[in-house]
Amino acid sequence: MPKQKVEELTPEQPKNFEESPAKAPWRKNLIIGGVLLLLFALLYGVVLSSFENEVSAHTVRYTPGKKVADYVEIEATILTIDPFHDSTTMRLEFQPKGNFLSEKGVTAKKDLKLYVNSVNGTSEHSFAKGKRMGAFELALELHDGDVANYPLDKYGIELELDLFEVGADKVETPAPIVVNFTGDIHGMKVESSLAPESTDGNVLVKANVGRSGSTIFFAVITMAILIFLTVVMVFVVGMIATDKSRKVEFDIFVWGGALLFAFPAIRDTMPGSPPIGSLTDFLVFFWVEGILVIAMVVTAILWFKRPTE
């Protein structure tokens, strides 16, 4: 009897068979990666834009009420701002123009006298005819502010300039001036404006000074770090206290002690950080130090009460 040929039958694949999404996960990952990259690029651009705004000098300019060809141009530049001593240092530079400039092109053609509201040194400066109008530095008072409010402390600055032409009979006549007031201090934000009562021979510039955005941001981040580390420490100690099966490791004392002495150093990394007793200390520093001490005491009590093995 002839042998029958046995054919192996294989089940037919369904006609509507499609590739499983699990076989192509790269599409989803590519979309997520692209979105994250775009968000990072936007954040990077915002940070760079913020940096450009902070390093751009803020300048205010006063010019005489009517167009004149004879005047003295004064460049007033802030050099330092010291909130600890409530003072700021400025440099004044002078350039006579028109009939105030001698034929040599570098010296004054007339006798001039400048009055300025300096808080130290002389407030009167004389410039002799035929001599250069040399630059000098002066100190101004920072008012309406307190460094204890760091990093939200704000101050005011006023610069008053009065220039007079001294005649042969010693009579002083107001001389027209052009004032360029520039504030560009790293870590500080300066916004200046002209007082409405300014005149051609008497110019009053007012400036508001505060911490820059990057300084405030860095101070906030530093305080957030102190809070985060303290919360982690409290969480660990809480887990040990509530779970009696957990062993009190001696390493936790090393960790807590390191944080206790590291926090003052972290606090002092804030730019322009003030002495102990500022607003940041009452908001964060004193609290986190106290909480760490309490956590260490609780850990020590648990270590004494529980067996070490």
Side-chain angles (χ1 to χ4, degrees), residues 135-302:
F136 63 86
E137 296 180 5
L138 71 153
L140 299 177
E141 178 187 9
L142 286 178
H143 56 83
D144 299 334
D146 189 349
V147 71
N149 292 323
Y150 176 94
L152 303 178
D153 48 333
K154 297 182 181 297
Y155 309 90
I157 300 175
E158 291 186 357
L159 173 65
E160 185 174 4
L161 300 171
D162 298 273
L163 185 66
F164 294 90
E165 178 184 346
V166 182
D169 52 358
K170 303 300 181 182
V171 174
E172 298 180 356
T173 305
I177 56 177
V178 170
V179 179
N180 298 315
F181 183 96
T182 303
D184 182 17
I185 301 296
H186 183 69
M188 305 295 289
K189 182 179 180 181
V190 181
E191 296 181 344
S192 51
S193 61
L194 292 170
E197 59 268 27
S198 297
T199 60
D200 292 352
N202 172 262
V203 175
L204 177 61
V205 181
K206 296 183 178 181
N208 296 319
V209 179
R211 305 287 174 174
S212 64
S214 60
T215 298
I216 297 175
F217 177 78
F218 195 93
V220 171
I221 289 297
T222 302
M223 290 187 287
I225 291 173
L226 297 180
I227 294 173
F228 174 76
L229 294 177
T230 303
V231 170
V232 172
M233 181 68 179
V234 170
F235 177 78
V236 172
V237 174
M239 291 293 292
I240 296 174
T242 55
D243 189 353
K244 295 183 178 181
S245 63
R246 292 181 181 271
K247 180 182 177 182
V248 182
E249 300 287 350
F250 187 78
D251 291 344
I252 195 171
F253 292 101
V254 178
W255 178 32
L259 290 180
L260 193 63
F261 290 98
F263 276 9
I266 297 176
R267 177 217 180 261
D268 290 340
T269 60
M270 292 187 290
S273 180
I276 293 294
S278 65
L279 178 62
T280 56
D281 297 326
F282 284 91
L283 289 176
V284 175
F285 181 68
F286 291 156
W287 292 97
V288 296
E289 285 284 277
I291 292 173
L292 276 181
V293 171
I294 295 174
M296 293 291 291
V297 171
V298 172
T299 306
I301 294 174
L302 294 175

Side-chain angles (χ1 to χ4, degrees), residues 126-138:
S126 298
F127 303 96
K129 176 181 177 180
K131 302 291 183 180
R132 288 179 179 267
M133 298 185 69
F136 63 86
E137 296 180 5
L138 71 153

Side-chain angles (χ1 to χ4, degrees), residues 12 45 52 54 72 93 186 282 300:
E12 295 183 0
E52 289 294 332
E54 288 200 9
V72 176
E93 300 176 274
H186 183 69
F282 284 91

